[in-house]
Amino acid sequence: MDNVNILGVTIHHVTIPEAVDCIMGYLEENGTARAVYTPNSEIIMMGYRDEELRKILNRADLRTADGIGVVYASRILKKPLRARAAGFDIACTLFEKMGKKGKTVYLFGSKPGIAERAGEEINRRWGVTVAGCADGYFDAEKEAAIIADINEKRPDVLLVCLGAPKQEKWIDAHREMLNTHVCMGLGGSLDVLAGNVKRAPLFFQKTGLEWFYRLCKEPKRIGRMMDLPRFAWTVLRKGKQYPQG
Ligand code: UDP
C-alpha cells in the first residue's frame, strides 16, 4: 500500500471508505489479529522521540492520518495524502458495514460505564451487536479477566480506547493472544459515542481547526498541543531525511 514516511512513521494513503474496506477484508481472515492505528501529529512526535513506540506503530497493518497536521506534513514531504482519515469517522463507517453483515464488536477502554453507554448507541444507530465491554482502568488481575472475556466472546473487532500511546502498546503486546480479527486503537471515541464528550462542530472539522475547538474546551491539553508546532517545525527541518518508499 502506498504510504508516506513522516519522521519514521509510515502513514498509508487511504480514504475513509478504503480503510473500511480494508478492515472488512481483515474480518474474513484467520490468524493473528490485525492492528489498526490512526496516528495524529502528537503520536508521530512521540514515535519520533521513542524508537520502541515507532517500531510498534510501524508494525501495525494499517495506519491512517488522524488530523490535519499529518496531511500538511505529507504535503511538505511531497507525498500528499488526499484527506485525513480520522479514527472516529472510520469507526462510524465501519459500524455501518458491520451492522449489515452481522459482525460484532467489543469495547475496551474509558471510564467505568462509558463503554456500555457507547455500546447502546452503536447498537441503536448501526445495529451492531456489542459482544462485551470493559473499562480502561485495570491492574494485572483485572487485565487477565478482560483478556479471558474477549477470548470467550470472540468479537470480530476489538476497539481499544486507552489513549495514545497506551492503546498502541497494549495492542502490540497482546494481539497474538486475542481471539479477534482486528484490534483498533481509538482514543477518546467511546466518550464521544457515549455523549460524554462532544466532537467539534462540522465547521471546525472542515476548516482543520478541530484542535482549536478541543483546546478551548479542555485548556489543560495545551501541554500536549505544543507538540503541534514542534511537529511542523521538525517535519520542515528533518522530514526530508526519511526515505520515501
Ligand atoms: N483511558 C483509559 N485508561 C487509561 C487512560 C485513559 O481508558 O489508563 C481513556 C480515557 O478515559 C479516555 C481515553 O482513554 O476515554 C483517552 O482519551 P484522549 O482524548 O486523551 O485520547 P486521544 O483520543 O487524544 O488519544
Side-chain angles (χ1 to χ4, degrees):
M1 210 184 299
D2 195 19
N3 61 51
V4 51
N5 182 343
I6 305 178
L7 303 179
V9 178
T10 53
I11 303 293
H12 293 118
H13 276 262
V14 283
T15 60
I16 292 167
E18 286 166 357
V20 170
D21 284 347
C22 187
I23 297 168
M24 288 304 289
Y26 295 158
L27 301 191
E28 304 309 318
E29 295 175 352
N30 292 314
T32 304
R34 300 279 199 163
V36 178
Y37 306 145
T38 64
N40 57 14
S41 17
E42 275 173 59
I43 187 159
I44 295 178
M45 268 318 268
M46 289 182 210
Y48 169 71
R49 296 189 191 109
D50 173 355
E51 190 189 353
E52 188 49 38
L53 175 61
R54 199 159 66 236
K55 284 187 186 153
I56 288 175
L57 293 171
N58 287 330
R59 269 201 289 269
D61 300 281
L62 183 63
R63 290 169 297 279
T64 74
D66 193 321
I68 199 72
V70 183
V71 176
Y72 285 143
S74 72
R75 291 182 190 156
I76 291 170
L77 298 171
K78 304 270 188 295
K79 288 207 79 183
L81 294 161
R82 283 162 284 169
R84 67 193 198 125
F88 187 81
D89 299 323
I90 291 177
C92 294
T93 309
L94 180 66
F95 292 148
E96 207 179 312
K97 291 220 165 170
M98 287 174 66
K100 286 183 187 143
K101 295 226 161 171
K103 303 290 184 189
T104 62
V105 67
Y106 193 107
L107 308 174
F108 171 35
S110 297
K111 300 211 171 92
I114 299 287
E116 286 79 1
R117 268 167 46 206
E120 282 166 22
E121 185 64 9
I122 291 168
N123 183 263
R124 188 187 67 76
R125 269 164 74 177
W126 296 286
V128 177
T129 302
V130 178
C133 295
D135 70 72
Y137 296 85
F138 49 85
D139 54 17
E141 196 184 328
K142 189 170 160 189
E143 185 183 39
I146 293 169
I147 293 170
D149 191 45
I150 294 167
N151 285 341
E152 193 196 314
K153 309 265 173 68
R154 300 167 154 263
D156 290 298
V157 174
L158 171 67
L159 298 190
V160 184
C161 302
L162 306 173
K166 194 171 178 185
Q167 62 204 13
E168 288 79 6
K169 290 184 175 172
W170 193 90
I171 291 173
D172 190 72
H174 297 92
R175 66 168 155 149
E176 285 190 4
M177 62 178 87
L178 294 172
N179 232 325
T180 183
H181 297 287
V182 177
C183 301
M184 213 178 150
L186 266 189
S189 297
L190 296 181
D191 294 302
V192 179
L193 285 161
N196 222 28
V197 171
K198 289 231 171 341
R199 220 180 154 203
L202 266 184
F203 165 79
F204 291 94
Q205 290 182 40
K206 289 202 168 140
T207 48
L209 290 173
E210 192 164 4
W211 61 272
F212 178 68
Y213 177 86
R214 290 187 85 178
L215 182 60
C216 294
K217 285 273 176 193
E218 296 171 72
K220 63 177 190 304
R221 295 181 84 96
I222 187 72
R224 289 172 58 175
M225 286 202 170
M226 285 315 289
D227 257 356
L228 286 171
R230 274 188 216 118
F231 173 71
W233 178 239
T234 312
V235 171
L236 279 166
R237 266 180 45 240
K238 306 243 171 96
K240 300 231 165 64
Q241 296 170 13
Y242 291 83
Q244 300 298 335

